Amino acid sequence: MTAFPVHDTDVLIVGGGLAALRVALSARQAGADVIVAVKRRLGQSGSSANTSGGYAAASPELDPEDSAWQHYADTIAGGGWVNERGLVRAVTDEAPARLRELWEIGAQFQRRNGQYYLSPSGDHRHPRVLVPVHMRGTDVTLPMRDVVIAAGVHLLENTLVVDLLCDDGRVAGAVGLRRDAVGGCLIRARAVVLAAGGAGRLFSVTSNPVDVTGGGYALAARAGVPLRDMEFIQFYPWRLVRPFKNSRVPVQPSTFVTGGRLYNSRGERFMERYDAVKKEAATRDVSAQGIFDQIRFGLSVDGGVVLDVSDVSDEQFRFQNPKVIERLEPRGINYREIPLIIAPEAHFFMGGVMTTDTGATPVEGLFAAGENAGGAHGGNRLNSNAIPETQVMGHRAGLAAAALRGRAPGRVDERLARAWETRLAGVRDETTDASPAMDALLAELQQKMWLGLGIVRTAEGLTRALADTAAIRDRLAGTPHETIGNLVAGIELEDLCTTGVAIASGALLRTESRSAHYREDFPDTDPAWLRTIVYQGGRVSTRPIEHDPDEETRFQARPAAPASPNDFVE
């Protein structure tokens, strides 16, 4: 028998951001017992708490001329036509209903003149993005946390889920380790939902906080669950690197719709070459490639490109970018009197676990939602489409997982738990910080992945990235983990390596450039690659994307008829 304490539940949720919160709430409301296991604090860590929190929804309450169909069309076109159509339809159809529920929970979004303000974006044909009042994810996560706790969801905070337990093709639970003490637990569950976020810490420059290390992808891969579209990684183009060198301050996409301009060291408005129509308001994949090209070809200014906001009114800039103002004004600095330099950063993973439109995976009882799930965003996520996906797919996965509460629990093989007990026996010190040697190994991995898996890729660089991850894994295997900090760091490094291999494998196979995947040795988009790449068991394969061959023509028609309330029936 394992010495770990044992928890029994209907639904175990791995993660603590907006997807996990939505899964927990919907599953609990459906009558299931629910446990949430999160590395740090529920609703106060991970990418959800740190995002600016925009929510894209085509709601007739907000804009009668917009429609779910137009949101769907924008999402498919912006995703490079490789989105899973059923997932996109679910998100765009149900986003307004889930938004109304956030209002009821207490999430507050910006208003002007008594009406909700819809922020414009080059990604969307209509302004349809609502932004939280303080432009912080916690404007949404904290009200949701309060409701989830009040509903009776049980928390295992500071708990790192390290392995899934499976029984003859069905999930039976998971093993967790404390990240703040020497200890662990075994969780028996009828359903498990992976909602642990992305893997931005794979890269040296990222918007993601320190705990976003690909755990959900690695858990799925070790359980033999297929991952899809892992080659598609979004690099947010507009991070201010001057005057903010050591902290993340993004420029909001609406800035470029309202007059923001970008220039390289020659004074060229270079984005005109990448998108002659939208220019600076181009989609994120195009903008990131344009800015990165200036940097790599020696046309940068202080490591980035110049942002000119002289055509943006002061009122508009302050409203759109309060984080910039909050950082500068207390220091007596006028943003119009200093150089503003921006550069890209790793931001969001479009790929992830392969699921149905209820979040189900091929393993019975195992689900995924949010950034852990792939398919909805295709090759490039549109501005503020992430949070509606967490709410729509989190709700669907929560209901589907709760529906399994009446089944008999799976048989739990405790050998994995005992193996982790053995690893813990080697921990002599409860120090939670990683050693300088482990920090250096992470920094080395991040730098190598930035070069091999970053914005511009080649066969040579991708092959080298595979070799680099193998070498770092070998070194990691020989490194003793005598402190809690080093054990956790080692687990997270292994998860990042697993994720890196899946990315490089898919990117090597996709011999074209599409959306956020840019191959310098295959710079053109190839219609033959209208396919999904699947990574499973260390191998890659492809399958076609089911789609209407006439959809591109229909999407460009932009119907003028007002939206019907029937567009939003759940």
Side-chain angles (χ1 to χ4, degrees), residues 51-390:
T51 181
S52 58
Y55 191 112
S59 169
E61 298 175 49
L62 302 173
D63 182 357
E65 294 186 357
D66 202 359
S67 71
W69 186 90
Q70 293 182 81
H71 191 185
Y72 171 85
D74 289 348
T75 300
I76 299 294
W81 310 94
V82 289
N83 316 61
E84 193 70 38
R85 303 307 193 260
L87 297 177
V88 181
R89 174 58 75 189
V91 171
T92 55
D93 279 1
E94 298 175 21
R98 304 286 82 81
L99 176 62
R100 287 192 290 271
E101 290 166 355
L102 289 180
W103 292 338
E104 292 166 2
I105 286 169
Q108 296 185 26
F109 294 85
Q110 292 178 349
R111 293 174 178 263
R112 273 189 170 184
N113 303 318
Q115 303 293 321
Y116 282 111
Y117 173 71
L118 297 178
S119 178
S121 167
D123 291 359
H124 300 274
R125 70 183 74 185
H126 289 276
R128 61 169 70 106
V129 175
L130 288 88
V131 180
V133 286
H134 301 109
M135 295 190 75
R136 294 187 179 94
T138 48
D139 290 344
V140 183
T141 61
L142 295 184
M144 288 194 76
R145 172 189 166 95
D146 291 343
V147 171
V148 162
I149 291 174
V153 171
H154 303 287
L155 304 186
L156 291 174
E157 295 184 314
N158 287 307
T159 298
L160 174 64
V161 173
V162 291
D163 264 315
L164 296 175
L165 301 171
C166 295
D167 173 26
D168 193 24
R170 60 186 284 194
V171 76
V175 178
L177 297 184
R178 298 285 300 179
R179 58 173 303 279
D180 58 348
V182 179
C185 62
L186 188 150
I187 309 156
R188 296 189 295 217
R190 291 167 176 82
V192 176
V193 185
L194 300 175
R201 300 305 293 187
L202 188 62
F203 297 98
S204 54
V205 182
T206 180
S207 64
N208 292 187
V210 295
D211 52 348
V212 183
T213 56
Y217 307 133
L219 285 170
R222 287 197 293 272
V225 179
L227 304 177
R228 61 175 294 168
D229 307 323
M230 292 299 289
E231 68 272 24
F232 293 118
I233 303 170
Q234 183 172 94
F235 292 83
Y236 189 81
W238 310 296
R239 172 175 174 160
L240 277 169
V241 295
R242 181 175 176 185
F244 309 107
K245 192 167 186 178
N246 297 317
S247 60
R248 187 197 181 231
V249 180
V251 173
Q252 295 304 307
S254 54
T255 305
F256 301 98
V257 180
T258 55
R261 303 288 181 262
L262 298 175
Y263 295 93
N264 61 23
S265 61
R266 293 177 179 168
E268 298 169 329
R269 192 178 169 189
F270 59 89
M271 282 306 301
E272 294 176 329
R273 298 198 296 271
Y274 294 86
D275 189 324
V277 177
K278 291 184 176 180
K279 303 174 185 177
E280 285 83 2
T283 52
R284 295 180 181 188
D285 54 330
V286 175
S287 297
Q289 290 165 19
I291 295 169
F292 186 73
D293 276 351
Q294 310 313 300
I295 297 170
R296 70 188 182 113
F297 292 137
L299 299 175
S300 65
V301 178
D302 290 343
V305 297
V306 175
L307 169 62
D308 179 356
V309 294
S310 57
D311 289 341
V312 183
S313 72
D314 186 59
E315 176 191 13
Q316 194 75 20
F317 186 85
R318 287 173 176 272
F319 186 78
Q320 293 167 335
N321 297 282
K323 290 183 180 179
V324 177
I325 305 303
E326 289 169 6
R327 297 291 185 92
L328 293 180
E329 284 201 338
R331 296 156 60 189
I333 299 173
N334 184 338
Y335 72 93
R336 292 192 180 273
E337 296 177 355
I338 61 171
L340 298 176
I341 307 297
I342 64 172
E345 60 184 356
H347 186 54
F348 186 89
F349 280 58
M350 276 72 71
V353 180
M354 182 172 283
T355 71
T356 67
D357 61 5
T358 64
T361 76
V363 173
E364 183 185 351
L366 182 63
F367 300 81
E371 201 171 346
N372 266 175
H377 304 292
N380 173 57
R381 175 175 66 78
L382 296 197
N383 174 32
S384 297
N385 264 7
I387 294 181
E389 187 205 7
T390 68

Side-chain angles (χ1 to χ4, degrees), residues 203 447-454 456-458 461-462 464-465 504:
F203 297 98
Q447 184 62 29
K448 290 180 182 298
M449 295 303 101
W450 183 264
L451 294 173
L453 307 180
V456 176
R457 298 164 175 174
T458 63
L462 293 166
R464 189 184 306 117

